[in-house]
């Protein structure tokens, strides 16, 4: 059975340091962190890392995922190609709360070249500490999922 507090992290080369800081932060909050790398600073390709993290989520291995690249945009686009993923890029706390509350996002994407460490950790907290509200938002999430068919 999937732990509801098991989370996958991945990034490309542009975000390794911030990813590792976030991993420590999340672990300190009591989450089981599955950091699938990479650890090498060599240039790599964000689509494969976004897809690998997304697969951990849709398979049920992890309840949520956090992915990063320079802008957060490319890896988000890749993750959203995996059926069942709802991933948003956030550079502010309000959006991080709302993608959970209204969109039932199961992945968060961050841009390591866009935001600093302090804001990134507050965004992560907002994402992890907010529950999906359901109700009318559930209908809209279902309508979005139907677009995958
Ligand atoms: C890598 O240089 C950069 O393009 C990547 O990290 C990301 O920002 C793409 O969306």
């Amino acid at each position: 059975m999937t732990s509801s507090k098991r989370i996958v992290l991945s990034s490309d080369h542009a975000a390794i340091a911030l990813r590792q800081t976030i991993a420590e932060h999340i672990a300190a909050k009591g989450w089981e962190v599955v950091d699938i790398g990479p650890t090498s600073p060599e240039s790599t390709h964000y689509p494969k890392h976004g897809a690998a993290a997304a697969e951990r989520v849709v398979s049920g291995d992890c309840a949520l995922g956090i992915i990063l690249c320079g802008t957060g945009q490319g890896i988000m686009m890749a993750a959203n190609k995996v059926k069942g993923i709802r991933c948003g890029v956030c550079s502010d706390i309000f959006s991080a709360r709302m993608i959970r509350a209204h969109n039932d996002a199961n992945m968060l994407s961050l841009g390591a070249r866009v935001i600093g460490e302090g804001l990134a950790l507050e965004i992560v907290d907002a994402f992890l500490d907010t529950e999906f509200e359901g109700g009318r938002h559930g209908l809209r999430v279902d309508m979005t999922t139907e677009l995958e068919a």
Side-chain angles (χ1 to χ4, degrees), residues 62-145:
C62 295
L64 295 172
I66 296 179
I67 51 178
L68 307 91
C69 64
T71 60
Q73 301 291 350
I75 200 163
M76 174 275 290
M77 292 177 196
N80 276 322
K81 295 292 184 189
V82 177
K83 284 187 177 181
I85 290 301
R86 293 176 299 280
C87 182
V89 180
C90 291
S91 299
D92 66 276
I93 295 162
F94 176 75
S95 296
R97 204 160 54 229
M98 296 309 285
I99 65 167
R100 285 290 303 126
H102 285 192
N103 311 118
D104 199 18
N106 48 16
M107 296 189 77
L108 167 68
S109 185
L110 299 169
R113 294 172 177 162
V114 180
I115 56 172
E117 179 182 306
L119 179 56
L121 296 182
E122 290 202 31
I123 289 170
V124 166
D125 284 345
F127 179 74
L128 295 181
D129 297 343
T130 304
E131 296 291 330
F132 178 48
E133 290 178 7
R136 69 185 188 281
H137 304 297
L139 171 65
R140 294 164 187 166
V141 170
D142 290 345
M143 290 172 70
T144 304
T145 301

